[in-house]
Amino acid sequence: MAYVSFETVAARGSLDVAYQAIADPTRRRIIEVLAQGERSVKDLVPRFPISQPALSQHLRVLREAGLVRVRRHGRFRVYSLRADPLEAARDWLQRVDRMLYGLPPPG
């Protein structure tokens, strides 16, 4: 599992960090689940065939990449999806797609 440190986020573009974080299929699935609404780690664990510590590591990578945010709710950590980094990745893919098919840039 790749580790993305805060130093990596500062040293590289957010798009690079976002793509590195979503390269893992488990993290992509976590993003899909969080797109449906915020969840605690306790709510996420039964949805994945991995241990709670492994899931927490994936969540840490996503948090450090800026893709999810975490807040405390009593004893639990509750995670939610941050749209901005994913929008940057989507925008880049749309630009490439338009170039690939010879379409003019939007606007």
Side-chain angles (χ1 to χ4, degrees):
M1 176 182 332
Y3 172 72
V4 181
S5 69
F6 286 110
E7 293 79 20
T8 303
V9 173
R12 293 173 45 196
S14 61
L15 188 59
D16 291 345
V17 173
Y19 276 118
Q20 182 179 352
I22 64 174
D24 183 272
T26 299
R27 291 194 286 267
R28 290 193 303 269
R29 179 69 183 122
I30 292 168
I31 288 170
E32 291 171 0
V33 171
L34 293 178
Q36 299 168 15
E38 66 180 18
R39 301 274 194 274
S40 70
V41 174
K42 181 183 174 186
D43 294 333
L44 290 169
V45 167
R47 297 171 180 256
F48 294 90
I50 59 176
S51 67
Q52 186 274 324
L55 181 65
S56 291
Q57 175 66 23
H58 283 293
L59 288 164
R60 185 173 88 179
V61 170
L62 290 170
R63 181 179 46 83
E64 291 182 353
L67 297 172
V68 299
R69 68 174 56 90
V70 62
R71 66 178 176 82
R72 285 252 181 220
H73 183 73
R75 298 178 326 161
F76 301 102
R77 289 177 178 245
V78 178
Y79 288 84
S80 58
L81 194 58
R82 293 188 63 234
D84 294 348
L86 294 172
E87 288 173 4
R90 184 197 64 220
D91 292 346
W92 181 82
L93 282 172
Q94 286 177 340
R95 286 194 310 272
V96 170
D97 196 44
R98 294 186 74 78
M99 288 185 274
L100 181 64
Y101 292 104
L103 301 172

